[in-house]
Amino acid sequence: MESLKQYIYLDEGGIDSLYAQIAEEIVVEREFEVEKHSAGEAKGTFSAKLNELLDTGISLSGEGGTANTTRVKTTFPMEKKLMLIQLYVKENENLIEHYGDISRKYKSNSQNFVLLTDKFDTSLDCRDWSNAMRQIAQFEYIPFYKAPSEKADSYEYDDSYYKTMSMYHTKVTMNLGVQKMRDGYFHSFGMTSHMAVLFRICRGENIPLGVFGHLYKLTEDIFQIKPYAVWRV
């Protein structure tokens, strides 16, 4: 079982859109095929599209018999849909699970997703939270990024250098729309809000986050994540 997550951000519309593309059926049909018997009895043969046992509301009567079909709508909570999407992406799309693999494993002709845990910076002025709130109100999103390492211009000749070189040169940006922030992170964005405390503790740097989202290549070394879910780590 996966560990429970404390979500900062959920794009519910985006998650619903992805889920609609992978869901086999969210409507369950149960039918009875009725056979006529000389004694006037009706015999039903049960068939179902899914294995769940739900009330069918079956009615069998008369010499020829009658049959009712019940359609039952099955819904999942948003977090469950997200889990199903992640499982589908892992099996059917290009999923990148480590920051160091973004440049190396990105495929130009594929749907690229990330599911990773890493540390991000923000360009907000976290030393002056009143000013940070004005920036958030103006742009209506919180900017995050992971910039190239300071080691990018240094010389390294050990065996791991060539494996990690792309990571040092890759910048990733990610914007979290404030309207999709979870309660407690945006709606009470004062000095004591969860996000304000988190940013002040981290000083806007090395903020540990889990991220699931679409990945887009903007330039050779700059990528952007369109997030569907972001959580505290």
Side-chain angles (χ1 to χ4, degrees), residues 34 42 61 72 75 126 132 135 146 155 166 179 183 193 195 209-210 215 224:
V34 180
S61 63
V72 183
T75 60
C126 297
Q135 290 178 292
K146 188 166 179 64
Y155 290 96
S166 63
Q179 296 301 330
D183 289 344
S193 68
M195 189 63 74
L209 298 174
L215 183 69
Q224 185 173 44

Side-chain angles (χ1 to χ4, degrees), residues 27 36 218 226:
V27 175
K36 181 179 178 181
L218 303 181
K226 191 281 183 205

Side-chain angles (χ1 to χ4, degrees), residues 28-31 46-52:
V28 182
E29 282 191 359
R30 281 174 163 68
E31 299 177 348
F46 178 79
S47 63
K49 292 187 178 180
L50 297 179
N51 293 327
E52 291 87 354

Side-chain angles (χ1 to χ4, degrees), residues 126-161:
C126 297
R127 295 168 297 180
D128 183 350
W129 191 248
S130 296
N131 185 46
M133 285 192 292
R134 284 193 292 271
Q135 290 178 292
I136 294 169
Q138 179 181 357
F139 297 109
E140 297 188 346
Y141 66 82
I142 301 175
F144 287 92
Y145 67 92
K146 188 166 179 64
S149 168
E150 294 178 356
K151 297 181 180 181
D153 296 323
S154 65
Y155 290 96
E156 295 185 21
Y157 296 102
D158 59 5
D159 291 340
S160 64
Y161 172 67

Side-chain angles (χ1 to χ4, degrees), residues 68-226:
N68 292 340
T69 299
T70 300
R71 297 170 66 84
V72 183
K73 186 174 182 180
T74 303
T75 60
F76 291 111
M78 195 59 56
E79 291 80 359
K80 179 68 173 179
K81 292 179 182 179
L82 184 61
M83 185 187 73
L84 294 173
I85 292 167
Q86 290 171 357
L87 290 173
Y88 177 87
V89 167
K90 194 166 188 175
E91 294 179 359
N92 298 280
E93 307 292 350
N94 186 35
L95 181 64
I96 299 171
E97 299 185 77
H98 300 283
Y99 169 69
D101 290 333
I102 288 176
S103 179
R104 187 164 56 90
K105 292 189 176 181
Y106 184 89
K107 297 180 180 179
S108 299
N109 297 321
S110 298
Q111 291 285 343
N112 293 272
F113 290 83
V114 291
L115 177 59
L116 54 84
T117 299
D118 217 305
K119 294 181 179 179
F120 292 81
D121 299 339
T122 178
S123 57
L124 293 175
D125 183 4
C126 297
R127 295 168 297 180
D128 183 350
W129 191 248
S130 296
N131 185 46
M133 285 192 292
R134 284 193 292 271
Q135 290 178 292
I136 294 169
Q138 179 181 357
F139 297 109
E140 297 188 346
Y141 66 82
I142 301 175
F144 287 92
Y145 67 92
K146 188 166 179 64
S149 168
E150 294 178 356
K151 297 181 180 181
D153 296 323
S154 65
Y155 290 96
E156 295 185 21
Y157 296 102
D158 59 5
D159 291 340
S160 64
Y161 172 67
Y162 296 102
K163 298 177 182 178
T164 59
M165 185 169 56
S166 63
M167 179 177 71
Y168 294 148
H169 290 274
T170 301
K171 179 176 181 178
V172 176
T173 66
M174 176 177 68
N175 297 326
L176 303 188
V178 293
Q179 296 301 330
K180 298 173 184 176
M181 303 291 287
R182 308 307 289 167
D183 289 344
Y185 283 93
F186 167 68
H187 298 294
S188 57
F189 234 84
M191 293 295 292
T192 59
S193 68
H194 294 307
M195 189 63 74
V197 172
L198 173 64
F199 278 15
R200 289 203 305 273
I201 291 174
C202 297
R203 298 182 179 179
E205 299 177 348
N206 295 320
I207 303 168
L209 298 174
V211 178
F212 172 71
H214 252 118
L215 183 69
Y216 301 95
K217 187 174 185 178
L218 303 181
T219 70
E220 190 61 33
D221 295 322
I222 301 178
F223 295 79
Q224 185 173 44
I225 297 173
K226 191 281 183 205

